[in-house]
Amino acid sequence: MNQRHKIFKTIEPYLYLVPALVFFALFVFWPFGKTLRLSFAMTTPLGEVAKYVGIDNYIQIFSDKEFLKSLLISFEFAAMMVVFSMVIGFVLAIVSNEKIRGKSLFRTVYALPMAISAAAASVVFMFIFHSSLGILNKTLGTTIGWLTDPKWALISVTIVSVWMNIGMNYIYLTAALQGVPQELYESAAMEGAGFFQKHKNVTIPCISPTLFFLLIINVINALQAYAQFKMMTQGGPSNSTNVIVYEIYQEAFINSRFGVACAESIVLFVILIILTALQFKLEKKVTY
Amino acid sequence: MKHSKKYIAVMTFLNIVFAVIILIPILYCFNVSMMDMKEIYSGSFWPSGLSLENYKKALELAPFFTFIKNSLIVSIATTAGQVITGALAAYAFSMMKFRGKNILFMIMLATMMIPSQAIIIANYLTIAQWGLKDTYAALILPNVAAAFAVFNMRQAFLQLPMEIKEAADIDGCTNFKFFYKVALPLIKPSIGALGIYVFLQSWNYYLWPLLVTDTVNMRTVQIGLGMLQGAESTDFRPVMAGSMIILLPSIIAFIAGQKQLISGLTSGSVKG
């Protein structure tokens, strides 16, 4: 009895971990290994290995102009999205952090886009952007094909994505603002700092850890964006919104080239890992 | 710090302007869902009256109740799964001592480094090979555990005073009993926050349900909305009505749980 009790005590903690670990093994680590394996293979249309081809898939994708262009588009999209959604989130956090009436209502409104699905946001904005019936062209008095003109399509999808991402940036920045010591603002005011100086010299340095954290999360989210592209532009017009996840989807599920798609997935993974590592390093250096 | 009246007035004004801008897409969606064709062509922002015509049409064009049922089943099961697997693992990581704890915790955190989009093809192939396409299992299983849930609940358990655990140990309370009867009830607010977050996320999934379902009967709300949009390329009104139908549950869940949700998401992750 005592012996059995002892054994149970030793293994008990692991039992609590088993459910989570089993699911991680089956749906994260195993598929990751499989993705890596398939990236070195030619596959059957069912996704089984036909034969291993070494790094051929990687050579192929890096000499494929479409793939390289999709990387570039993804970076362009991520850069625009990160800048705008963080700047807007920051401005909203600042203005709603004042002692004003209806503060909690404003807070709810600013965070609300977080709850909106990409699919719903996409269809609403598709109508807003509609070239003949859409409210945007009617208001501006223009006839721009927001989603059909290669010059505008990526910008239009970025606008939707920024709107969807404001909520998350807003709540993290608001939480961070509450951690800024009030004394710092008071001494800044004593030194005669104005509104912009105050935020530049006190707020931004104080919340820099949150800013870096959000930078990582935003880039990672942006590089993984898919639904709004599928719904609004299908990668077009003339591939101008063919971001990397859309490209991967095309290769895998339209062209049935799973090996190539897996190689592209691994490239995406490597990019995200590098960015994360870089951010962690920078965070250590730049934090005040 | 005191501000002048003028300063407060300017800030209030700015907040009103920003709030309206943020809300316009949702408001416009509602307005269009109430319009008739003439109002669409005239480009007005407000509908002249309230009518459920477009909602009726949306329900005729696509089986929205089936989509809602599917999404509810999937979201509730996913939420329950992540809370259960997350709470169990988090409890071990925060309340128990064992060998390899740090390594196992790192392994769990490492899953956060592997983005779901990078492994979605392999997961799809696995589900297809298991013959699970077009089943609830396919929609639910890959999301039953998440590192975020483990991490989040571990934070919550760590905030409990260790003395209650020590006292329970002395009283001879088994670990599982303590977990179930004492620790879990104490972190209810965190569970609520995590639950709402996971529910929203799961209700809003797009790519995974698109890949693993083929038949209309297994589609979730987000895919259903896409179908409706594809079927109705000329008339946007039923599509907007459909959007309102699928937005309503998430907006309600968000407003009901926003306080807990926001504090739950930001605690532990924000250092200041």
Side-chain angles (χ1 to χ4, degrees):
Chain A
M1 175 64 202
N2 222 345
Q3 185 67 19
R4 268 173 64 188
H5 187 72
K6 234 179 168 176
I7 293 174
F8 176 72
K9 274 276 163 212
T10 323
I11 62 163
E12 191 189 8
Y14 303 102
L15 295 178
Y16 286 79
L17 301 179
V18 165
L21 282 176
V22 166
F23 281 101
F24 287 142
L26 280 176
F27 295 107
V28 181
F29 293 117
W30 166 255
F32 182 70
K34 190 168 177 174
T35 306
L36 198 58
R37 198 159 48 86
L38 289 181
S39 78
F40 296 111
M42 232 164 76
T43 55
T44 67
L46 290 174
E48 278 143 9
V49 175
K51 76 171 200 265
Y52 286 99
V53 292
I55 58 166
D56 277 11
N57 288 334
Y58 289 93
I59 293 172
Q60 197 188 328
I61 60 175
F62 279 110
S63 47
D64 176 4
K65 275 203 188 101
E66 265 326 306
F67 175 70
L68 296 175
K69 196 179 150 201
S70 80
L71 278 180
L72 204 68
I73 295 168
S74 287
F75 286 131
E76 210 180 313
F77 170 71
M80 288 196 288
M81 197 175 110
V82 169
V83 170
F84 288 112
S85 60
M86 281 182 70
V87 168
I88 296 172
F90 181 71
V91 170
L92 296 179
I94 295 279
V95 296
S96 64
N97 202 35
E98 303 284 353
K99 292 194 178 79
I100 47 165
R101 254 194 232 168
K103 192 165 163 170
S104 63
L105 180 69
F106 293 128
R107 294 211 151 153
T108 305
V109 170
Y110 298 153
L112 186 63
M114 226 179 92
I116 310 293
S117 70
S122 298
V123 298
V124 175
F125 275 89
M126 278 175 86
F127 189 52
I128 291 176
F129 289 139
H130 196 279
S131 56
S132 56
L133 299 173
I135 193 111
L136 187 58
N137 271 342
K138 290 212 165 158
T139 311
L140 297 174
T142 49
T143 50
I144 295 169
W146 295 103
L147 297 170
T148 48
D149 183 339
K151 264 204 325 251
W152 288 103
L154 188 64
I155 294 172
S156 305
V157 181
T158 306
I159 293 173
V160 188
S161 313
V162 167
W163 182 74
M164 292 181 340
N165 261 279
I166 288 172
M168 182 195 70
N169 287 297
Y170 171 75
I171 64 162
Y172 280 104
L173 289 167
T174 298
L177 284 185
Q178 277 151 9
V180 180
Q182 283 300 311
E183 305 87 64
L184 289 179
Y185 286 131
E186 276 155 27
S187 57
M190 296 233 287
E191 283 163 29
F195 179 81
F196 292 103
Q197 265 182 319
K198 180 179 85 177
H199 289 303
K200 191 179 143 241
N201 297 334
V202 177
T203 312
I204 292 180
C206 281
I207 64 166
S208 66
T210 304
L211 291 174
F212 281 107
F213 166 78
L214 283 178
L215 194 62
I216 308 171
I217 301 287
N218 277 298
V219 173
I220 290 177
N221 285 348
L223 291 179
Q224 292 195 78
Y226 171 78
Q228 57 269 50
F229 290 97
K230 164 84 176 163
M231 302 265 310
M232 297 182 81
T233 60
Q234 280 98 45
S238 54
N239 284 341
S240 62
T241 58
N242 188 29
V243 283
I244 180 158
V245 178
Y246 197 78
E247 162 76 19
I248 292 172
Y249 171 86
Q250 290 280 346
E251 286 292 3
F253 299 104
I254 307 297
N255 304 338
S256 290
R257 301 204 302 171
F258 290 102
V260 173
C262 285
E264 295 180 345
S265 299
I266 294 295
V267 172
L268 171 67
F269 166 75
V270 171
I271 293 169
L272 294 176
I273 281 287
I274 291 174
L275 281 171
T276 313
L278 196 78
Q279 294 301 342
F280 277 127
K281 249 191 154 165
L282 274 175
E283 187 177 344
K284 270 190 199 128
K285 256 195 210 158
V286 186
T287 305
Y288 289 80
Chain B
M1 207 163 36
K2 278 190 95 171
H3 286 300
S4 66
K5 264 194 182 146
K6 199 180 133 200
Y7 180 84
I8 296 294
V10 170
M11 285 299 160
T12 310
F13 175 73
L14 283 178
N15 272 297
I16 293 170
V17 172
F18 291 147
V20 169
I21 294 174
I22 298 282
L23 282 181
I24 277 179
I26 301 170
L27 189 63
Y28 188 55
C29 177
F30 174 78
N31 287 352
V32 172
S33 79
M34 293 288 165
M35 285 181 186
D36 60 35
M37 217 49 203
K38 239 173 53 207
E39 290 165 317
I40 297 282
Y41 283 115
S42 73
S44 52
F45 185 79
W46 298 101
S48 54
L50 300 179
S51 120
L52 290 177
E53 203 56 36
N54 296 319
Y55 288 80
K56 257 185 20 217
K57 194 157 177 225
L59 294 176
E60 274 164 27
L61 284 166
F64 261 90
F65 290 115
T66 309
F67 301 153
I68 290 172
K69 184 192 81 187
N70 291 340
S71 278
L72 277 177
I73 292 173
V74 171
S75 302
I76 290 171
T78 304
T79 308
Q82 286 197 24
V83 167
I84 294 168
T85 57
L88 284 168
Y91 180 77
F93 282 129
S94 57
M95 297 279 184
M96 293 166 130
K97 288 195 189 91
F98 55 93
R99 260 192 190 194
K101 183 164 154 176
N102 285 337
I103 289 182
L104 285 167
F105 189 60
M106 292 304 275
I107 288 177
M108 292 229 184
L109 285 187
T111 63
M112 278 181 166
M113 296 284 182
I114 301 176
S116 60
Q117 307 289 51
I119 52 173
I120 205 157
I121 296 169
N123 268 334
Y124 166 82
L125 294 172
T126 308
I127 291 292
Q129 271 160 14
W130 289 353
L132 285 178
K133 270 186 79 177
D134 262 328
T135 63
Y136 288 122
L139 290 163
I140 297 164
L141 287 177
N143 299 305
V144 166
F148 180 77
V150 178
F151 187 70
N152 203 271
M153 290 182 108
R154 177 175 162 274
Q155 285 316 93
F157 281 130
L158 285 176
Q159 270 154 24
L160 298 180
M162 264 326 249
E163 294 85 53
I164 45 172
K165 172 80 169 98
E166 282 153 18
D169 282 344
I170 293 165
D171 283 350
C173 180
T174 65
N175 260 313
F176 192 72
K177 207 169 160 196
F178 180 80
F179 166 72
Y180 182 70
K181 287 252 159 115
V182 182
L184 271 189
L186 281 175
I187 63 156
K188 253 193 204 149
S190 305
I191 296 177
L194 180 71
I196 292 167
Y197 177 76
V198 178
F199 184 91
L200 276 177
Q201 198 186 31
S202 161
W203 181 266
N204 291 344
Y205 275 142
Y206 184 82
L207 182 50
W208 182 247
L210 179 69
L211 294 182
V212 295
T213 61
D214 285 327
T215 59
V216 175
N217 279 335
M218 286 309 294
R219 294 294 205 189
T220 58
V221 284
Q222 309 300 336
I223 314 303
L225 186 63
M227 280 169 55
L228 188 61
Q229 182 241 325
E232 270 295 329
S233 54
T234 48
D235 189 356
F236 270 85
R237 297 168 308 150
V239 185
M240 296 294 163
S243 302
M244 285 313 293
I245 295 174
I246 71 162
L247 280 182
L248 214 58
S250 27
I251 292 178
I252 291 172
F254 176 78
I255 291 179
Q258 62 159 325
K259 260 218 174 95
Q260 293 188 342
L261 182 68
I262 289 171
S263 65
L265 283 183
T266 50
S267 74
S269 57
V270 173
K271 286 164 281 171

